[in-house]
Amino acid sequence: MLPVLEQPATHFYVALSGGIDSVVLLHSLCALRASFPQHQYSAIHVHHGLSANADSWQRFVEQLCGELDIRLLVERVNLLKQTRTSLEAVAREARYGVFVKHAQGACVLLAQHLDDQLETILLQLKRGAGPAGLAAMPVRREDNGVTYLRPYLALSRAQIEHYAYAHDLRWVEDESNQDVRFDRNFLRHEIIPRLAERWPQMADNAARSAQLCAQHQALLDEVLQEKLVGLQSQDKTLSINGLHAQPERWQSALLRSWLAQFGLNPSAAWLLNLQNQLVSRQDGMPEIKLDGRVIRRFNQRLFCLLSSDLWQINQTIKWQGEHAVSWDAVPVLLTNIRCNQQPLEIGNAPFSLRFTPVGELQSKPLNQWFKQWQIAPWLRQQTVVVRAGESVIALAIAGEKWRLSQQALDWQFKADISRQ
């Protein structure tokens, strides 16, 4: 614990479930805080609502923090089970969401120990993980503005229990930890004791292997980042032609590294589907979804888009002098609309309608202009079109600047367009 505290002033939050591990972590931190007054110390308890005992666990941590004179934050979360996602994973995601909410710029102390690390390594082996997965839990990790530290990762469960009994500590027992239907509990109660009986150093040796995997992955990441520099643009789109120019053995790793920038960690099967649908094939306009993101292809580049950014304008509003115009579920607003001609239709329009921008001699259908301007298909659906009957006088793509026709200038059409 001492090396953790020997750093510039910060705010430490203990992730406090009330179990033996987190109680020992909080108690040992409080024993040392007088020697490190430059820091602030707090605890965070996440009430998942999964157990009938959850309320009593909250009362316990409230009493404990009162006795130790530690500020406590309690956050209740509502867990929504997702298809093909374990409840354990949903709870973990909610828990880390609470940490991001309350501990920006601070350090969250997690109480995982050596035996937890062995469980994680075995679970990763079961899933067929590579070096990144087999590196298991790092001692230190920074994510979404929060630093996560695991000061007990080299200590065994037995050492933590010895501390707890020596200091006559109290803690709560989560009854779900005894349910061997859960993979981690099955390993903890049925498998690891037998491994430890046969090979007493199993946990230490596995942890050393995890460290070697982490070092190997760090070296690989450095090489991948160097390669990505020449493959992606400033907007983080990825060149498909550049990817094809790489040796085949590097392509999957480069794709995985590119996706990691967006917080995505796909399975091998998902990644193979991405390669087959978007990288190898040249026909069609497929899209592949994962964790709130959509991967699309355009102009021989891959785009990783937020699902929330793929809105469409599906309405046309008749404008008759109103100050502002907006559409349902569309983050674009028109204000200060002025035009000498009324009424106008503002919104979506058939791409077969013709348009002649100022400075161009030819009239072309909108879809031909989109191709010439290299507008991605999903942005075409976000185009605000202003027209009088079949005559397009102005358009703005995805809330950007107006493209006007001579007719719009003659009619003195003006409007402020903004993203909400």
Side-chain angles (χ1 to χ4, degrees):
M1 181 65 78
L2 282 173
V4 169
L5 299 177
E6 292 172 342
Q7 61 174 295
T10 189
H11 194 152
F12 287 107
Y13 291 87
V14 173
L16 183 63
S17 67
I20 185 172
D21 304 331
S22 63
V23 167
V24 167
L25 179 58
L26 180 64
H27 186 272
S28 61
L29 184 71
C30 290
L32 294 169
R33 62 180 165 179
S35 301
F36 299 93
Q38 73 270 29
H39 304 307
Q40 299 179 63
Y41 303 91
S42 301
I44 298 179
H45 176 75
V46 181
H47 187 304
H48 297 97
L50 295 176
S51 170
N53 298 312
D55 289 339
S56 65
W57 297 342
Q58 178 180 329
R59 291 192 294 270
F60 169 79
V61 297
E62 287 172 344
Q63 180 180 352
L64 176 64
C65 290
E67 294 170 356
L68 296 174
D69 192 25
I70 283 285
R71 173 174 171 260
L72 173 68
L73 296 173
V74 175
E75 182 93 6
R76 290 176 177 254
V77 294
N78 295 317
L79 303 181
L80 299 177
K81 181 70 170 66
Q82 301 171 17
T83 305
R84 304 180 69 178
T85 303
S86 70
L87 190 58
E88 182 183 16
V90 173
R92 182 184 183 278
E93 183 177 351
R95 191 160 57 248
Y96 276 84
V98 172
F99 298 154
V100 169
K101 176 181 177 181
H102 292 289
Q104 281 295 304
C107 292
V108 173
L109 300 179
L110 305 169
Q112 285 104 345
H113 47 70
L114 186 62
D115 297 82
D116 294 323
Q117 186 76 311
L118 177 56
E119 293 166 7
T120 300
I121 294 167
L122 292 175
L123 287 171
Q124 293 292 354
L125 278 171
K126 178 186 76 72
R127 295 167 184 148
L134 294 176
M137 297 181 289
V139 173
R140 180 188 180 96
R141 179 173 69 91
E142 297 183 7
D143 188 36
N144 287 325
V146 180
T147 299
Y148 298 97
L149 299 174
R150 295 182 173 91
Y152 285 175
L153 212 51
L155 298 180
S156 68
R157 179 178 286 110
Q159 289 173 296
I160 291 174
E161 290 176 350
H162 181 270
Y163 181 100
Y165 288 118
H167 291 83
D168 196 25
L169 299 182
R170 296 172 293 109
W171 59 88
V172 299
E173 295 285 357
D174 184 344
E175 69 281 0
S176 69
N177 288 337
Q178 305 302 315
D179 189 346
V180 294
R181 291 176 299 176
F182 296 110
D183 289 345
R184 186 176 288 273
N185 292 340
F186 174 72
L187 289 172
R188 182 178 302 169
H189 298 297
E190 303 288 341
I191 303 301
I192 291 178
R194 298 186 65 184
L195 293 175
E197 183 179 355
R198 178 67 179 265
W199 301 295
Q201 298 303 312
M202 178 75 179
D204 291 299
N205 293 341
R208 185 163 59 251
S209 291
Q211 291 175 351
L212 293 173
C213 286
Q215 293 170 9
H216 175 85
Q217 186 62 43
L219 291 173
L220 178 60
D221 287 341
E222 287 185 20
V223 176
L224 289 170
Q225 287 304 311
E226 290 176 1
K227 287 179 174 289
L228 277 177
V229 169
L231 297 180
Q232 65 179 7
S233 304
Q234 288 186 344
D235 61 0
K236 291 189 177 181
T237 60
L238 188 69
S239 168
I240 294 176
N241 291 334
L243 190 64
H244 281 153
Q246 297 294 318
E248 187 174 345
R249 64 183 181 275
W250 280 99
Q251 292 180 20
S252 292
L254 285 164
L255 275 172
R256 187 177 291 279
S257 184
W258 176 66
L259 292 167
Q261 299 175 102
F262 306 98
L264 299 179
N265 183 25
S267 66
W270 187 96
L271 196 63
L272 180 60
N273 184 47
L274 172 67
Q275 290 180 270
N276 291 337
Q277 295 293 321
L278 290 177
V279 178
S280 300
R281 289 179 54 183
Q282 300 302 313
D283 58 320
M285 300 296 290
E287 59 180 43
I288 301 181
K289 301 178 181 180
L290 181 67
D291 296 341
R293 291 275 181 173
V294 179
I295 318 300
R296 297 285 300 266
R297 181 184 66 221
F298 178 67
N299 270 4
Q300 287 301 102
R301 304 197 71 82
L302 291 182
F303 293 73
C304 187
L305 309 165
L306 284 170
S307 298
S308 57
D309 285 343
L310 296 179
W311 47 270
Q312 298 183 8
I313 299 177
N314 295 317
Q315 299 170 280
T316 297
I317 295 175
K318 181 173 286 189
W319 177 79
Q320 300 183 86
E322 293 84 358
H323 171 76
V325 165
S326 62
W327 301 265
D328 294 337
V330 171
V332 170
L333 176 67
L334 302 190
T335 55
N336 299 319
I337 307 170
R338 300 177 296 281
C339 187
N340 294 336
Q341 174 71 23
Q342 296 182 26
L344 297 174
E345 294 179 83
I346 305 178
N348 66 339
F351 293 163
S352 58
L353 294 183
R354 304 183 74 85
F355 179 52
T356 309
V358 170
E360 297 286 350
L361 300 177
Q362 281 187 304
S363 171
K364 297 180 184 179
L366 291 176
N367 57 0
Q368 290 189 23
W369 286 117
F370 290 148
K371 289 179 182 178
Q372 180 175 324
W373 296 332
Q374 297 189 341
I375 305 301
W378 55 92
L379 295 179
R380 300 175 192 183
Q381 304 297 327
Q382 300 176 356
T383 301
V384 177
V385 179
V386 181
R387 57 192 171 113
E390 298 294 302
S391 177
V392 176
I393 69 165
L395 59 85
I397 300 166
E400 301 299 329
K401 64 180 182 180
W402 289 105
R403 300 171 193 255
L404 303 176
S405 67
Q406 184 60 49
Q407 197 171 25
L409 296 179
D410 294 342
W411 290 351
Q412 297 185 330
F413 169 80
K414 291 184 179 180
D416 297 330
I417 187 167
S418 60
R419 295 286 297 268
Q420 297 175 291

